[in-house]
Amino acid sequence: MTWETVIGLETHVELATRTKIFCACTTEFGGAPNTHCCPVCTGMPGALPVMNEKVLEFAVKAGLALHCEITRYSKFDRKNYFYPDLPKAYQVSQLYLPIARNGAVPIKTGKTIRIHELHMEEDAGKLVHDPWIDQTRADYNRCGVPLIEIVTEPDFRSGEEVIAYLEKLRSTLQYLGVSDCKMQEGSLRCDVNLSVRPAGSQELGTRTEMKNLNSFKAIARAIAYEARRQIECMEEGKRIIQETRRWDENKDATFAMRSKENAQDYRYFPEPDIPPMEVTEDYLERLKAELPELAEEKMARYQRDWSLPAYDTEMITGQKALADFFEETVALGAPPKQAANWIMGEVLRQLSAGGMEAKDMAFTPRTLARLIALVQTGRLNRNTAVKVFDAVFASDGDADAYVKEHGLEQVSDSGLVAAAVEKVFSANPKSIEDYRAGKEKAFGFLVGQVMRELRGQASPQVVNQIIRERLEQVK
């Protein structure tokens, strides 16, 4: 029997608002445990919450960018459950009137993924296990951190589609500035709901939910494993249990954690301490006007205004910081195609080697624009410019000073080049004979030897011209 995998996602995105959703307590909780919490986020009796307006603004902007319908009258609900990292024994979320619904995200495979809803909620705390003393302790710093949860319809049929959607979602939210979406730090978390069914069937199978997925690679591997596991169970006549499963990166497998709860298990009821919210037409229009140019719009503009190939524009707009870097480099006078080539080649190479993102590098557009100008004006050849780039990248050093200090300025003096050509010709008569016999590779060898003689600082155009002229003379 042929099987079809059906996948839906619940993506939690931590909002970069600096303060928590219902109190003024900081969300920069990288310090000692339980130092960034207050009576509201720890659920002390009598502590009343106050809505963070920035959370609503970010949620509405995200909804608009994802082509959702914005709910004009929205409110919060209490999701009741007991767990040690939840001091209030309930989480404030939205079940009945989420802030946005019925969205759509087109992905690069050509498919459109439907958004069921986008709602606001608060995060719980964190349990930290200390193996040295064999104790698990609760850190409440993360309690009350503002989140949006984006729930899709079960529209995915493969891990590739899931990754394409998450890449598009991450890019959109980063361009909006609502979150940095760093999975390794927990600001983007994804739960995968997966079931299998016979190909051609319209009935959904029993689903499992997978947690503890902290990278796109882990998500793809978990989907492949869980689909295979469920298919094997079905073919053996076993029943799929609706449950939450934990992905184990080391064992490359999922393991049962607990039975999967339904909405009624949480005993939802309207949140009594937080008033409902009404999104007015003026408010909505103001936020629409504040939406920035997103990646797809930038790609279209780069292709239209600067004639860049689609591949270049996709690479450059993959990170907002990289697109900003590119645009500033062009604004400083660098030809767009040259700037794109340097960014896709040398900049991304250095970022990959250092395990960095574009927004974390010290290297500036001004320095790149200067390097490109040095090549264009003939003061450096491309190979030497790359060496200068590598030397100044980490600290954004002065390219002109480095060139002067190390004597790297390009040799364009035809007399010096001609002298080097004569020296190379004298040392390599066999290569000259090979060229005269029709072996074009011999020409490349002679060029390489002249460049070596001039320490790689000669103008390739001048070297090529003088070698050809000299070869014509020795025929």
Side-chain angles (χ1 to χ4, degrees), residues 25 210 285 308 340 344 406:
C25 200
M210 290 181 286
E285 289 303 316
L308 291 183
M344 292 188 300
H406 293 82

Side-chain angles (χ1 to χ4, degrees), residues 15-17 53-63 148 176-178:
L15 299 179
T17 61
E53 187 179 346
K54 201 69 176 178
V55 175
L56 176 63
E57 177 184 319
F58 281 179
V60 172
K61 284 184 175 180
I148 52 174
L176 288 174
V178 304

Side-chain angles (χ1 to χ4, degrees), residues 359-428:
K359 68 182 186 63
D360 299 323
M361 64 179 171
F363 190 70
T364 61
R366 184 170 298 280
T367 304
L368 179 58
R370 181 56 185 158
L371 271 174
I372 293 172
L374 289 173
V375 175
Q376 284 187 300
T377 56
R379 287 186 58 191
L380 294 180
N381 64 40
R382 185 64 161 73
N383 290 337
T384 304
V386 170
K387 295 177 183 177
V388 176
F389 169 86
D390 289 340
V392 303
F393 178 82
S395 61
D396 193 40
D398 186 323
D400 287 281
Y402 187 88
V403 169
K404 183 177 180 180
E405 181 182 349
H406 293 82
L408 296 177
E409 194 159 339
Q410 182 166 273
V411 176
S412 298
D413 187 322
S414 58
L416 290 175
V417 175
V421 169
E422 290 300 327
K423 185 175 180 180
V424 169
F425 274 33
S426 298
N428 298 279

Side-chain angles (χ1 to χ4, degrees), residues 275-289:
M277 297 156 290
E278 185 174 355
V279 176
T280 65
E281 188 66 30
D282 288 345
Y283 181 80
L284 197 59
E285 289 303 316
R286 176 173 69 82
L287 296 189
K288 284 180 180 178

Side-chain angles (χ1 to χ4, degrees), residues 307-320:
S307 301
L308 291 183
Y311 176 80
D312 293 18
T313 62
E314 184 176 356
M315 290 286 288
I316 292 168
T317 59
Q319 299 181 49
K320 180 180 183 298

Side-chain angles (χ1 to χ4, degrees), residues 14 25 32 40 75 81 174 178 209 237 240 274 276 314 321 347 375:
E14 180 183 305
C25 200
V40 173
K75 63 183 182 63
Y81 66 96
Q174 286 176 337
V178 304
E209 180 182 44
I240 302 298
I274 304 171
E314 184 176 356
V347 172
V375 175

Side-chain angles (χ1 to χ4, degrees), residues 98-205:
I99 190 62
R101 287 179 283 201
N102 303 327
V105 178
I107 59 177
K108 60 185 177 183
T109 63
K111 192 172 189 176
T112 296
I113 304 301
R114 293 172 298 160
I115 301 293
H116 175 71
E117 69 174 58
L118 181 156
H119 63 258
M120 299 174 284
E121 64 182 24
E122 61 178 344
D123 206 349
K126 182 178 181 180
L127 297 180
V128 182
H129 185 70
D130 188 336
W132 183 256
I133 59 175
D134 193 26
Q135 288 184 0
T136 299
R137 297 180 175 181
D139 179 3
Y140 296 130
N141 281 351
R142 203 170 67 181
C143 282
V145 167
L147 302 176
I148 52 174
E149 181 175 343
I150 303 166
V151 183
T152 74
E153 300 290 354
D155 288 344
F156 304 97
R157 296 296 178 266
S158 68
E160 291 76 18
E161 289 181 354
V162 168
I163 301 306
Y165 163 80
L166 289 173
E167 288 175 343
K168 178 70 171 291
L169 180 65
R170 179 179 63 180
S171 172
T172 300
L173 297 176
Q174 286 176 337
Y175 271 87
L176 288 174
V178 304
S179 175
D180 59 20
C181 293
K182 292 183 178 180
M183 290 197 78
Q184 69 275 19
E185 295 180 7
S187 54
L188 176 67
R189 309 198 293 272
C190 183
D191 299 336
V192 177
N193 292 278
L194 184 148
S195 65
V196 298
R197 64 186 179 188
S201 172
Q202 298 302 308
E203 184 178 350
L204 294 175

